Amino acid sequence: MRALVWAGVAVALVLPLAVAATSPLLQWRSPVYIAAGFAGVLGLAVIFMQPLLAAGALPGLPAWRGRRVHQWTGAALVALVVAHVVGLWVTSPPDVVDALLLRSPTPFSPWGVLSMWAIFAAGVLALLRNRLRPRGWRRAHVVLTSVIVASTVTHALLIEGTMGAVSKWALCIAVVAVTLKAFSDLRVWRLMKPRR
Amino acid sequence: MTRHIKTRRDILLTGAAATLVTGATGLTVPARAAGVAPTPTMRGGANNYRPGAPIVDRIGNGGFWMTGRVRRAGDGTPLEGIRIQVWAHTTEGHERDPQSHGATLTGADGTFRLEMPQIVPAFGQPHGHLAYDSPEFETVFLRPVMRSASDSTLHAEFVLQPA
């Protein structure tokens, strides 16, 4: 069972990356553009791991240890988002400026920008965690992660890029599924009810 | 929470408010008697534009056709000798690369066609860019999206407003 869970996680992470790495589009892209795209794909893979780590759903990584890893992978996610946006900006500045100013013609752009700000906010909030009340912090973190998951998945699915259609859909469905499972395991809805 | 039931008064108020807002802000477009409306510039149309692309027989090694038609606003008369500039992310270069840009002139029937390398998806969509940017008419930038990345042609319609 242990091995099966880890094998499943490995497939979920490696398969979409492998498909993207063999995309014919890569041959017509500069190294910076390719790196920017892969930063996005890797970011989606990190988002898939985050709920599993937080909920202690991975064999050998109970929640107290998983959450240590979750902090580092969360920091990595912030760095990947920065690399994604900067790499795209270097490749085509006006397209990224349009996206950031929410005047892009592509429907996926505002979802990516929303996700970016939610990831940055989650990062800042995590740094301030010790200064916040635990319940308030958890509540905000759950709200932000819900926004991140929904907007990132929408962003990814609307893009015609290097990711394969089937593996992209599969990973996005998996991201939503593990998020809902973690929310359920951690009984986050209790946070949202007003305290008696 | 108390449930709010939509009354006729609510509906009338909403309608009155909508009329006031559209009337006051000029969001309504007057009906045009004489037919063909000018083409508005598309969002992102001017991205990575390099003014003054040379008129060429073909961009790069070709294999893909950018086609289109240019007419005058109002009466819809086809416009001849209009310079249209074209660029895209193709199998031979990024949008910003000079070799990805070229221009052509319309024929007597207002149509143009320019052979160029195959457009490939970039920044999330397989799309091309076209510009009309000369003195006689108002500048227009278009950014049409291909229905499928495997299409080997893309069409654009310009209706130009005299400057």
Side-chain angles (χ1 to χ4, degrees), chain B:
Chain B
M1 206 184 98
T2 50
R3 273 189 62 198
H4 186 79
I5 296 157
K6 253 204 178 351
T7 60
R8 254 176 304 188
R9 188 181 294 173
D10 286 339
I11 292 163
L12 285 172
L13 271 173
T14 313
T19 311
L20 266 174
V21 167
T22 49
T25 54
L27 283 172
T28 48
V29 178
R32 264 175 227 278
V36 194
T39 313
T41 280
M42 290 178 173
R43 278 202 280 176
N47 288 1
N48 297 319
Y49 175 52
R50 301 176 69 99
I55 291 176
V56 291
D57 290 334
R58 192 172 71 186
I59 301 174
N61 294 316
F64 182 98
W65 286 96
M66 183 69 88
T67 65
R69 184 166 60 141
V70 183
R71 290 176 294 160
R72 184 164 55 205
D75 57 6
T77 312
L79 295 169
E80 186 182 1
I82 298 291
R83 175 195 174 89
I84 297 296
Q85 303 179 55
V86 172
W87 69 103
H89 184 111
T90 71
T91 52
E92 293 176 27
H94 283 226
E95 272 181 18
R96 297 171 84 191
D97 299 337
Q99 80 269 16
S100 299
H101 295 243
T104 190
L105 297 173
T106 58
D109 60 352
T111 64
F112 64 90
R113 54 196 248 119
L114 180 58
E115 197 180 4
M116 60 189 290
Q118 175 69 40
I119 293 179
V120 289
F123 278 75
Q125 287 180 333
H127 66 278
H129 291 268
L130 301 99
Y132 167 81
D133 186 20
S134 303
E136 309 89 70
F137 296 90
E138 303 276 0
T139 300
V140 175
F141 289 100
L142 300 183
R143 184 191 174 280
V145 177
M146 285 148 65
R147 207 164 297 161
S148 156
S150 57
D151 287 355
S152 58
T153 177
L154 185 58
H155 187 86
E157 290 274 336
F158 284 87
V159 176
L160 300 178
Q161 179 95 292

